[in-house]
Amino acid sequence: MDKLSILPNGPLEGRIPISGAKNSALKLMAASLLCEQPLVLTSMPNLADTRFMAKLLQNLGVVVEWPTGEALCRMDAANITSTIAPYDLVRKMRATFNVLGPLLARVGHATVSLPGGCAIGARPVDLHLKAFEAMGADIVIEEGYVKAAALRGLKGAHINFPFVSVGATEHAMLAAVLADGETTLENAACEPEIGDLAICLNSCGAKITGYGTPTIHIQGVARLSGTRHDVIADRIEAGTFAIAAAATGGNVFLDGARAEDLGALIDALRKAGVTVEVEPKGLRIKRNGGGLVAVDIDTRPHPGFPTDLQAQFMALMTIAEGTSTIRENIFENRFMHAPELSRLGANIIVRGNEAIVKGVPKLKGAPVMATDLRASVSLVIAALVAEGETTVNRIYHLDRGFERLEEKLGRCGAKITRQGDSA
Ligand code: EPZ
């Protein structure tokens, strides 16, 4: 199994290009199932997860043209040949569950495996299913599969989510665009990826307004054409590199990063003593010699501090002066990186959904284990500043969500080498 060997090499200096957002690309790919003409996505991130989604779409009859390493992906769903997403294709990557809504809306029925829990929490899909039921779908769960049917089509509905869910908001939107009549989503998620999906769907002929706010209106249309759409920049990738630059005390320009999507992180970095300059084409992160001070964070739905940057920020706080309290409010089990960071010498006490991080003057390299995507990259950040060698094992998690991580960091001076089968 591949692992990364990381040695400290001083401050990161240079420019890092930000890729298209994984979590947007996956939903945009699911949206291709709604389109009668080809959907062409540019700035597509080449990741294990997006390639996996392409495989599932091909299984359903979508003609996918996406040469290895290319950032342009063309998906033609003129002929959907299957409406079944089997266990093996959904179990490995939860976002594949998002084909259910588009298949239901376009074909009238679908059978999709329940995704099951994962390392960071139980992650049920009850809100997704309630939204489809509100739109008139009949849903049964049998032998681990969701069997959904709306043979006379979905109907517009008023859906008030009991709490904010990114996935349920996107999924309901994906189904409602072809429903008969108007759908209103209340207490909808406001994440930038939702806006990206709405903009792409509107460009295919959908009628969605209010995205980016908690109330989204969708006027159903009979059919969607295709379009060409540029995937929004990955705010989590940008935030991760911002934190890496801050940790090493470097000076890095994040090319393509969007300040408007990263407000909570930028505030926290500035409070911690990091200089963040907003430039027309990206963000510059600097910490020229100054120390880091502890900052408390609470993860919240957008525009709050993103749960997907919690692990990385914890890594930064391990070397800040003072004590930081980090509260995880989105997922019930998202502190698996804490014991691994402690192996590097961090001082962290976890109590329920709270981690108390007492800054230490130095971390020390050690073998550590990646447990999920964002946890893995937090270990990479800690390793960049730890004395001696750190080996990060089980890095297939990183390959799911970070495009060319070693190359991007390596060009800014990091000493990272991949060892193992595909090294
Ligand atoms: C998306 O997951 C992202 N995944 C996650 O990124 C991200 O952490 C999360 O949103 C929050 O921002 C993708 O976009 C592919 P939710 P999602 O529905 O949609 C509970 C990463 O590292 N819930 O907003 O699954 C749920 O268990 C990943 O890239 C229900 O109870 O998140 C969680 O506690 C990890 N019932 C909370 O809501 C439901 O039907 C928020 O989850 C749906 C969700």
Side-chain angles (χ1 to χ4, degrees):
M1 212 175 280
D2 283 8
K3 53 187 176 187
L4 287 182
S5 154
I6 304 173
L7 286 163
N9 196 31
L12 295 175
E13 306 269 350
R15 169 191 163 272
I16 300 182
I18 302 305
S19 300
K22 168 185 81 97
N23 286 347
S24 198
L26 291 168
K27 320 303 164 57
L28 292 165
M29 293 176 84
S32 72
L33 288 164
L34 293 164
C35 300
E36 292 180 7
Q37 272 106 42
L39 175 63
V40 176
L41 297 176
T42 55
S43 301
M44 270 294 282
N46 276 282
L47 301 167
D49 274 11
T50 44
R51 290 282 165 189
F52 195 74
M53 181 61 127
K55 235 185 235 167
L56 170 62
L57 292 177
Q58 281 169 325
N59 246 293
L60 302 173
V62 181
V63 178
V64 181
E65 289 168 31
W66 188 16
T68 314
E70 292 290 316
L72 186 147
C73 171
R74 183 179 190 275
M75 290 158 290
D76 187 346
N79 296 306
I80 293 173
T81 54
S82 162
T83 56
I84 301 172
Y87 176 64
D88 267 350
L89 290 175
V90 179
R91 172 182 63 92
K92 284 194 192 136
M93 206 250 297
R94 294 179 54 87
T96 49
F97 185 69
N98 283 286
V99 299
L100 175 62
L103 287 172
L104 189 58
R106 173 111 182 261
V107 188
H109 59 93
T111 300
V112 177
S113 170
L114 275 168
C118 74
I120 61 176
R123 303 182 77 186
V125 287
D126 53 324
L127 300 189
H128 301 228
L129 301 184
K130 278 189 188 134
F132 301 145
E133 279 176 337
M135 287 183 231
D138 293 316
I139 293 183
V140 286
I141 297 176
E142 270 174 18
E143 296 169 351
Y145 278 81
V146 177
K147 297 184 176 172
L151 298 178
R152 270 179 262 124
L154 293 169
K155 301 252 174 302
H158 192 109
I159 296 161
N160 193 346
F161 293 114
F163 52 88
V164 174
S165 160
V166 175
T169 302
E170 290 165 334
H171 212 169
M173 210 160 81
L174 283 166
V177 284
L178 290 185
D180 184 19
E182 182 171 335
T183 297
T184 302
L185 306 179
E186 296 214 63
N187 202 19
C190 301
E191 267 65 6
E193 293 75 24
I194 289 168
D196 199 34
L197 179 60
I199 290 167
C200 175
L201 288 168
N202 281 349
S203 153
C204 297
K207 292 189 175 149
I208 307 172
T209 54
Y211 51 84
T213 79
T215 307
I216 300 178
H217 294 283
I218 303 145
Q219 184 63 51
V221 296
R223 55 182 45 84
L224 293 184
S225 61
T227 193
R228 188 182 169 105
H229 177 82
D230 197 42
V231 181
I232 194 171
D234 195 320
R235 66 195 166 98
I236 305 302
E237 188 202 24
T240 299
F241 289 133
I243 294 170
T248 61
N251 182 340
V252 171
F253 180 65
L254 303 172
D255 198 350
R258 290 159 42 102
E260 63 269 42
D261 297 344
L262 282 162
L265 174 70
I266 293 173
D267 285 351
L269 284 175
R270 285 181 175 153
K271 280 190 198 144
V274 179
T275 303
V276 181
E277 290 168 1
V278 179
E279 298 186 11
K281 291 197 166 155
L283 289 176
R284 182 168 296 283
I285 312 295
K286 291 195 276 200
R287 185 169 70 81
N288 297 331
L292 286 166
V293 290
V295 175
D296 297 339
I297 58 159
D298 251 52
T299 63
R300 300 263 175 226
H302 192 78
F305 194 96
T307 173
D308 289 349
L309 287 173
Q310 178 259 107
Q312 300 88 315
F313 201 80
M314 187 185 291
L316 183 70
M317 290 298 99
T318 64
I319 53 162
E321 199 180 323
T323 300
S324 153
T325 303
I326 296 183
R327 243 173 247 117
E328 171 57 50
N329 298 306
I330 308 291
F331 291 109
E332 61 271 28
N333 188 28
R334 211 172 194 185
F335 281 146
M336 280 110 44
H337 41 285
E340 297 303 305
L341 288 168
S342 299
R343 290 175 57 77
L344 299 174
N347 181 345
I348 305 169
I349 297 167
V350 173
R351 279 195 217 108
N353 75 332
E354 212 171 80
I356 313 292
V357 187
K358 277 195 185 139
V360 295
K362 262 205 175 345
L363 298 176
K364 245 181 146 211
V368 287
M369 186 77 85
T371 45
D372 77 84
L373 171 55
R374 312 302 175 186
S376 318
V377 85
S378 79
L379 300 174
V380 172
I381 292 171
L384 291 173
V385 294
E387 229 167 50
E389 184 183 13
T390 299
T391 44
V392 183
N393 294 288
R394 286 210 192 150
I395 55 159
Y396 57 84
H397 290 293
L398 278 175
D399 297 331
R400 291 186 52 188
F402 287 94
E403 192 176 44
R404 297 182 284 113
L405 180 82
E406 302 108 277
E407 185 193 319
K408 288 186 182 188
L409 287 172
R411 287 201 175 160
C412 292
K415 276 196 176 169
I416 305 190
T417 46
R418 184 177 285 245
Q419 301 167 346
D421 305 339
S422 59

Short mmCIF file of all heavy atoms in Angstrom, two decimals, residues 371-404:
data_model
loop_
_atom_site.label_atom_id
_atom_site.label_comp_id
_atom_site.label_asym_id
_atom_site.label_seq_id
_atom_site.Cartn_x
_atom_site.Cartn_y
_atom_site.Cartn_z
N THR A 371 -6.87 8.26 8.15
CA THR A 371 -8.14 7.59 8.43
C THR A 371 -9.27 8.05 7.52
O THR A 371 -10.20 7.32 7.26
CB THR A 371 -8.57 7.85 9.88
OG1 THR A 371 -8.40 9.24 10.15
CG2 THR A 371 -7.76 7.03 10.85
N ASP A 372 -9.24 9.27 7.06
CA ASP A 372 -10.18 9.73 6.03
C ASP A 372 -9.49 10.86 5.29
O ASP A 372 -8.37 11.25 5.64
CB ASP A 372 -11.54 10.14 6.62
CG ASP A 372 -11.52 11.49 7.30
OD1 ASP A 372 -11.67 12.51 6.59
OD2 ASP A 372 -11.33 11.56 8.53
N LEU A 373 -10.18 11.34 4.27
CA LEU A 373 -9.55 12.30 3.37
C LEU A 373 -8.95 13.53 4.06
O LEU A 373 -7.77 13.83 3.91
CB LEU A 373 -10.63 12.71 2.37
CG LEU A 373 -10.38 13.83 1.43
CD1 LEU A 373 -9.12 13.57 0.64
CD2 LEU A 373 -11.57 13.96 0.49
N ARG A 374 -9.78 14.24 4.82
CA ARG A 374 -9.29 15.50 5.41
C ARG A 374 -8.35 15.23 6.58
O ARG A 374 -7.41 15.98 6.83
CB ARG A 374 -10.46 16.38 5.85
CG ARG A 374 -11.56 16.54 4.80
CD ARG A 374 -11.07 17.11 3.49
NE ARG A 374 -12.16 17.13 2.49
CZ ARG A 374 -12.01 17.46 1.23
NH1 ARG A 374 -10.82 17.78 0.74
NH2 ARG A 374 -13.03 17.47 0.40
N ALA A 375 -8.59 14.11 7.31
CA ALA A 375 -7.69 13.74 8.40
C ALA A 375 -6.30 13.47 7.82
O ALA A 375 -5.28 13.88 8.40
CB ALA A 375 -8.21 12.49 9.10
N SER A 376 -6.25 12.82 6.67
CA SER A 376 -4.95 12.47 6.07
C SER A 376 -4.15 13.71 5.76
O SER A 376 -2.94 13.77 6.01
CB SER A 376 -5.14 11.73 4.74
OG SER A 376 -6.15 10.81 4.82
N VAL A 377 -4.81 14.70 5.20
CA VAL A 377 -4.06 15.88 4.78
C VAL A 377 -3.64 16.71 6.00
O VAL A 377 -2.64 17.43 5.95
CB VAL A 377 -4.82 16.67 3.70
CG1 VAL A 377 -5.82 17.65 4.29
CG2 VAL A 377 -3.86 17.37 2.76
N SER A 378 -4.37 16.56 7.11
CA SER A 378 -3.94 17.28 8.32
C SER A 378 -2.61 16.69 8.80
O SER A 378 -1.76 17.41 9.34
CB SER A 378 -5.01 17.20 9.43
OG SER A 378 -4.96 15.94 10.09
N LEU A 379 -2.43 15.39 8.58
CA LEU A 379 -1.17 14.75 8.98
C LEU A 379 -0.03 15.22 8.07
O LEU A 379 1.11 15.39 8.52
CB LEU A 379 -1.30 13.23 8.93
CG LEU A 379 -2.39 12.65 9.85
CD1 LEU A 379 -2.56 11.15 9.62
CD2 LEU A 379 -2.06 12.94 11.32
N VAL A 380 -0.34 15.44 6.81
CA VAL A 380 0.68 15.95 5.88
C VAL A 380 1.12 17.35 6.34
O VAL A 380 2.32 17.66 6.38
CB VAL A 380 0.14 15.99 4.43
CG1 VAL A 380 1.12 16.70 3.49
CG2 VAL A 380 -0.16 14.58 3.93
N ILE A 381 0.15 18.19 6.73
CA ILE A 381 0.49 19.55 7.18
C ILE A 381 1.38 19.48 8.42
O ILE A 381 2.42 20.15 8.50
CB ILE A 381 -0.81 20.35 7.49
CG1 ILE A 381 -1.57 20.60 6.19
CG2 ILE A 381 -0.48 21.66 8.20
CD1 ILE A 381 -2.97 21.18 6.38
N ALA A 382 1.00 18.62 9.37
CA ALA A 382 1.81 18.51 10.60
C ALA A 382 3.21 18.00 10.24
O ALA A 382 4.22 18.49 10.79
CB ALA A 382 1.12 17.56 11.58
N ALA A 383 3.28 17.06 9.30
CA ALA A 383 4.58 16.49 8.93
C ALA A 383 5.50 17.52 8.30
O ALA A 383 6.73 17.44 8.42
CB ALA A 383 4.36 15.32 7.96
N LEU A 384 4.92 18.52 7.62
CA LEU A 384 5.75 19.56 6.97
C LEU A 384 6.54 20.37 8.00
O LEU A 384 7.56 20.98 7.66
CB LEU A 384 4.87 20.51 6.15
CG LEU A 384 4.20 19.95 4.90
CD1 LEU A 384 3.23 20.97 4.31
CD2 LEU A 384 5.25 19.56 3.85
N VAL A 385 6.03 20.40 9.24
CA VAL A 385 6.72 21.21 10.26
C VAL A 385 7.33 20.34 11.37
O VAL A 385 7.94 20.86 12.30
CB VAL A 385 5.78 22.27 10.88
CG1 VAL A 385 5.39 23.30 9.85
CG2 VAL A 385 4.54 21.63 11.49
N ALA A 386 7.13 19.02 11.30
CA ALA A 386 7.66 18.15 12.36
C ALA A 386 9.15 17.88 12.09
O ALA A 386 9.56 17.74 10.95
CB ALA A 386 6.88 16.84 12.38
N GLU A 387 9.89 17.79 13.18
CA GLU A 387 11.33 17.50 13.07
C GLU A 387 11.52 16.05 12.63
O GLU A 387 10.87 15.15 13.17
CB GLU A 387 11.92 17.61 14.47
CG GLU A 387 13.17 18.45 14.56
CD GLU A 387 13.45 18.74 16.03
OE1 GLU A 387 13.46 17.80 16.85
OE2 GLU A 387 13.66 19.93 16.33
N GLY A 388 12.37 15.80 11.64
CA GLY A 388 12.63 14.42 11.23
C GLY A 388 11.57 13.91 10.26
O GLY A 388 10.72 14.66 9.78
N GLU A 389 11.64 12.59 9.99
CA GLU A 389 10.78 12.02 8.96
C GLU A 389 9.43 11.56 9.52
O GLU A 389 9.35 10.95 10.57
CB GLU A 389 11.48 10.80 8.32
CG GLU A 389 10.67 10.23 7.17
CD GLU A 389 11.29 8.98 6.55
OE1 GLU A 389 12.23 8.41 7.15
OE2 GLU A 389 10.82 8.59 5.47
N THR A 390 8.37 11.87 8.75
CA THR A 390 7.04 11.32 9.05
C THR A 390 6.64 10.45 7.88
O THR A 390 6.81 10.84 6.72
CB THR A 390 6.00 12.46 9.21
OG1 THR A 390 6.41 13.29 10.31
CG2 THR A 390 4.61 11.92 9.51
N THR A 391 6.09 9.28 8.17
CA THR A 391 5.50 8.50 7.07
C THR A 391 3.99 8.44 7.31
O THR A 391 3.53 8.11 8.41
CB THR A 391 6.06 7.06 6.98
OG1 THR A 391 6.13 6.53 8.29
CG2 THR A 391 7.41 7.03 6.34
N VAL A 392 3.26 8.81 6.27
CA VAL A 392 1.80 8.77 6.35
C VAL A 392 1.34 7.53 5.58
O VAL A 392 1.53 7.45 4.36
CB VAL A 392 1.16 10.05 5.77
CG1 VAL A 392 -0.35 10.02 5.94
CG2 VAL A 392 1.74 11.31 6.41
N ASN A 393 0.76 6.58 6.30
CA ASN A 393 0.30 5.34 5.68
C ASN A 393 -1.15 5.45 5.24
O ASN A 393 -1.88 6.30 5.71
CB ASN A 393 0.44 4.19 6.69
CG ASN A 393 1.91 3.94 7.00
OD1 ASN A 393 2.65 3.41 6.18
ND2 ASN A 393 2.35 4.36 8.19
N ARG A 394 -1.56 4.53 4.37
CA ARG A 394 -2.94 4.45 3.85
C ARG A 394 -3.35 5.72 3.12
O ARG A 394 -4.42 6.27 3.37
CB ARG A 394 -3.93 4.27 5.00
CG ARG A 394 -3.93 2.92 5.59
CD ARG A 394 -5.35 2.67 6.10
NE ARG A 394 -5.35 1.51 6.95
CZ ARG A 394 -6.18 1.33 7.95
NH1 ARG A 394 -7.08 2.23 8.24
NH2 ARG A 394 -6.13 0.23 8.66
N ILE A 395 -2.51 6.16 2.19
CA ILE A 395 -2.80 7.46 1.58
C ILE A 395 -3.79 7.40 0.43
O ILE A 395 -4.04 8.40 -0.23
CB ILE A 395 -1.51 8.17 1.11
CG1 ILE A 395 -0.74 7.25 0.18
CG2 ILE A 395 -0.69 8.64 2.28
CD1 ILE A 395 0.21 7.98 -0.69
N TYR A 396 -4.40 6.20 0.22
CA TYR A 396 -5.43 6.18 -0.83
C TYR A 396 -6.53 7.18 -0.50
O TYR A 396 -7.20 7.70 -1.39
CB TYR A 396 -5.99 4.77 -1.05
CG TYR A 396 -6.57 4.12 0.17
CD1 TYR A 396 -7.88 4.37 0.56
CD2 TYR A 396 -5.79 3.26 0.94
CE1 TYR A 396 -8.40 3.79 1.70
CE2 TYR A 396 -6.32 2.67 2.08
CZ TYR A 396 -7.61 2.93 2.46
OH TYR A 396 -8.14 2.37 3.59
N HIS A 397 -6.72 7.49 0.78
CA HIS A 397 -7.70 8.51 1.16
C HIS A 397 -7.37 9.84 0.51
O HIS A 397 -8.25 10.56 0.04
CB HIS A 397 -7.70 8.71 2.67
CG HIS A 397 -8.26 7.55 3.43
ND1 HIS A 397 -9.57 7.19 3.37
CD2 HIS A 397 -7.67 6.68 4.28
CE1 HIS A 397 -9.79 6.15 4.15
NE2 HIS A 397 -8.64 5.82 4.71
N LEU A 398 -6.08 10.18 0.50
CA LEU A 398 -5.65 11.47 -0.07
C LEU A 398 -5.94 11.52 -1.57
O LEU A 398 -6.36 12.55 -2.10
CB LEU A 398 -4.14 11.66 0.10
CG LEU A 398 -3.64 12.17 1.43
CD1 LEU A 398 -2.13 12.16 1.43
CD2 LEU A 398 -4.16 13.58 1.69
N ASP A 399 -5.71 10.39 -2.23
CA ASP A 399 -5.91 10.35 -3.68
C ASP A 399 -7.38 10.49 -4.07
O ASP A 399 -7.70 10.82 -5.20
CB ASP A 399 -5.34 9.05 -4.26
CG ASP A 399 -3.83 8.99 -4.05
OD1 ASP A 399 -3.20 10.06 -4.00
OD2 ASP A 399 -3.30 7.87 -3.91
N ARG A 400 -8.27 10.26 -3.09
CA ARG A 400 -9.69 10.43 -3.38
C ARG A 400 -10.03 11.90 -3.59
O ARG A 400 -10.97 12.22 -4.31
CB ARG A 400 -10.53 9.90 -2.20
CG ARG A 400 -10.46 8.41 -2.05
CD ARG A 400 -11.40 7.96 -0.99
NE ARG A 400 -12.74 8.49 -1.25
CZ ARG A 400 -13.76 8.40 -0.42
NH1 ARG A 400 -13.61 7.80 0.73
NH2 ARG A 400 -14.93 8.89 -0.75
N GLY A 401 -9.28 12.80 -2.93
CA GLY A 401 -9.74 14.19 -2.96
C GLY A 401 -8.71 15.27 -3.21
O GLY A 401 -9.07 16.45 -3.24
N PHE A 402 -7.44 14.92 -3.35
CA PHE A 402 -6.43 15.96 -3.60
C PHE A 402 -5.67 15.63 -4.88
O PHE A 402 -5.02 14.59 -4.97
CB PHE A 402 -5.47 16.09 -2.41
CG PHE A 402 -6.11 16.76 -1.23
CD1 PHE A 402 -6.69 16.00 -0.24
CD2 PHE A 402 -6.19 18.14 -1.14
CE1 PHE A 402 -7.33 16.60 0.84
CE2 PHE A 402 -6.82 18.76 -0.07
CZ PHE A 402 -7.39 17.99 0.92
N GLU A 403 -5.78 16.53 -5.84
CA GLU A 403 -5.16 16.30 -7.14
C GLU A 403 -3.69 16.69 -7.07
O GLU A 403 -3.37 17.81 -6.69
CB GLU A 403 -5.89 17.16 -8.17
CG GLU A 403 -5.56 16.81 -9.59
CD GLU A 403 -6.37 17.63 -10.60
OE1 GLU A 403 -6.52 18.85 -10.40
OE2 GLU A 403 -6.87 17.05 -11.56
N ARG A 404 -2.81 15.77 -7.42
CA ARG A 404 -1.36 16.01 -7.51
C ARG A 404 -0.82 16.72 -6.25
O ARG A 404 -0.08 17.69 -6.33
CB ARG A 404 -1.04 16.84 -8.77
CG ARG A 404 -1.41 16.13 -10.06
CD ARG A 404 -1.06 16.92 -11.30
NE ARG A 404 -1.99 18.00 -11.54
CZ ARG A 404 -1.68 19.29 -11.45
NH1 ARG A 404 -0.47 19.68 -11.15
NH2 ARG A 404 -2.59 20.21 -11.68
#
